Amino acid sequence: MDLVLSPAEVRVLGSLLEKERTVPATYPMTLNGLVTACNQSSSRDPVTDLSEHQVEAALDRLKAQHLVRKVLPTTGSRVVKYRQVAQDALTVDDPQRAVLTVLLLRGPQTPQELKVRTERIHPFADAGEVEATLEDMAGWGEPLVRLLPRAPGQRDARWAHLLAGEPADPTGGTTAGADGATTAAGGGPSPEGGTAAPAPDPAVHRELAPLAGRWTGSGQGHYPTIDGFSYHERIELVPVAGKPVLAYRSTTTASDDGRGLHAESGFLRRVGDGAVELVVAGAPGVAETCAGLVEVGATGVEVALVSETVVGTPTAKEVTATERTYRVEGDVLTYDLAMAAVGEPLTHHLHATLRRA
């Protein structure tokens, strides 16, 4: 991942995630409470002795990475508190969050160990359900976890989180990154490629190849029924091996305080010369199927898509039509999105500029 946390940041984030679920009465947490949580002797591996200064410095770095938010004192109080916003930033659901929490606090573990240790955060039916959750977290273009090789004398292989970079190989060899690149046992990306996204195959992905990659940047949103807003966004377009398809994922957070705004995922498919289709599902309960054209110009590629169908869950806000345009010029991706929703006609909604990560 692009995100590489220090050991102190890993412990602070894991403690916030844990205490929000296990002791909600004292959450958000004060700095003193968080120091105690980080250094407790139970449910921690290794046990640490972080100082107040070290925890505060870790909080500042986590805030800069939009994983933690400061809660200002209320009337009559002088105490600043802290809460995690990593669940939104990383777009994990409750089972994934539980597994990630325990991995952050206790290091690599087997599915059975995780099943027992996540009980107070999220109960799993069995170790198989935990393993299915881990496989889902490992299956995206930028995975959150990795299955480690089984060390000599170990009965079962262990899973590790990737928020602190590539974990050490328990066998003393190398671990494979998302694209098959290797990583030294000491952790961190290798000179040969680190954890870069898989490269597209020009013969298979054709006109879609320039879109492949990980993109980060910012955008602005507006609509007649809401106030204007600014946001940060991360988009992944990951080539599917042997298929003219890019797996698509987008997550956005508010520019002002890092809170989660939106998440959606799907697939962009090349279906013929110059013809593409997109199927995408959004976290608010709306799914779209779109069709359109991809044009290759002198300076880049443009994909224009118009919705064929838009459907929503019973509780989703009404959306009846969308139009999307994505443009790539070198290492810059820009897009515009228009939608017809809640009784409004098709109206421009979002514009963003992102750069290849």
Side-chain angles (χ1 to χ4, degrees):
M1 297 185 69
D2 293 336
L3 183 70
V4 180
L5 303 183
S6 70
E9 292 162 24
V10 166
R11 179 56 54 88
V12 168
L13 182 59
S15 298
L16 283 169
L17 285 162
E18 177 196 50
K19 298 305 182 185
E20 184 180 15
R21 286 289 187 263
T22 59
V23 284
T26 59
Y27 187 89
M29 301 187 71
T30 65
L31 178 59
N32 287 339
L34 194 49
V35 172
T36 301
C38 289
N39 295 332
Q40 69 183 54
S41 58
S42 61
S43 304
R44 303 288 187 268
D45 187 10
V47 175
T48 59
D49 187 23
L50 297 176
S51 68
E52 183 175 299
H53 173 74
Q54 289 174 308
V55 172
E56 192 168 25
L59 284 165
D60 287 340
R61 292 190 294 269
L62 290 167
K63 281 161 47 188
Q65 297 175 89
H66 306 294
L67 298 176
V68 166
R69 184 180 177 187
K70 181 185 291 187
V71 181
L72 298 178
T74 57
T75 303
S77 172
R78 295 183 178 181
V79 180
V80 174
K81 296 184 178 182
Y82 300 89
R83 68 181 182 89
Q84 66 83 21
V85 289
Q87 182 167 9
D88 291 331
L90 300 174
T91 61
V92 292
D93 58 22
D94 283 347
Q96 294 167 345
R97 170 206 165 114
V99 166
L100 185 61
T101 298
V102 177
L103 289 175
L104 288 168
L105 293 174
R106 303 185 69 153
Q109 295 159 77
T110 67
Q112 181 58 38
E113 289 171 332
L114 288 165
K115 191 268 179 189
V116 173
R117 293 166 179 171
T118 55
E119 190 68 30
R120 294 180 64 199
I121 304 172
H122 177 84
F124 288 93
D126 51 38
E129 186 179 347
V130 176
E131 190 160 16
T133 298
L134 289 161
E135 289 172 351
D136 185 50
M137 296 169 71
W140 259 96
E142 187 166 8
L144 290 173
V145 298
R146 175 134 24 253
L147 180 63
L148 301 179
R150 185 162 34 192
Q154 284 184 346
R155 178 180 176 182
D156 299 306
R158 285 162 167 75
W159 289 80
H161 73 83
L162 299 179
L163 296 187
E166 287 292 339
D169 184 344
T171 67
T174 59
T175 57
D179 58 349
T182 59
T183 303
S190 72
E192 290 75 25
T195 57
D201 182 347
V204 175
H205 300 103
R206 305 284 289 275
E207 303 98 322
L208 298 182
L211 282 79
R214 296 170 183 149
W215 309 84
T216 59
S218 58
Q220 297 77 43
H222 59 93
Y223 208 67
T225 58
I226 60 174
D227 295 332
F229 60 96
S230 299
Y231 59 92
H232 295 293
E233 182 166 18
R234 181 178 186 85
I235 288 178
E236 293 179 78
L237 286 158
V238 180
V240 176
K243 302 288 185 181
V245 176
L246 301 181
Y248 164 78
R249 187 183 195 186
S250 166
T251 57
T252 61
T253 57
S255 297
D256 55 355
D257 58 12
R259 70 187 186 281
L261 294 179
H262 182 72
E264 62 182 29
S265 61
F267 296 92
L268 179 64
R269 304 190 302 149
R270 179 182 181 274
V271 294
D273 290 339
V276 290
E277 293 176 346
L278 173 71
V279 57
V280 62
V286 175
E288 308 166 42
T289 62
C290 306
L293 300 174
V294 53
E295 296 184 1
V296 180
T299 60
V301 175
E302 179 174 291
V303 178
L305 295 153
V306 177
S307 62
E308 297 287 329
T309 61
V310 182
V311 297
T313 62
T315 60
K317 291 184 179 180
E318 180 194 35
V319 179
T320 57
T322 63
E323 288 185 358
R324 299 167 178 257
T325 303
Y326 298 88
R327 306 172 190 85
V328 172
E329 295 187 2
D331 288 333
V332 177
L333 181 151
T334 59
Y335 75 81
D336 288 273
L337 184 146
M339 70 176 182
V342 293
E344 297 291 334
L346 194 67
T347 304
H348 187 267
H349 178 42
L350 302 174
H351 172 80
T353 300
L354 300 89
R355 294 188 175 276
R356 196 182 300 274

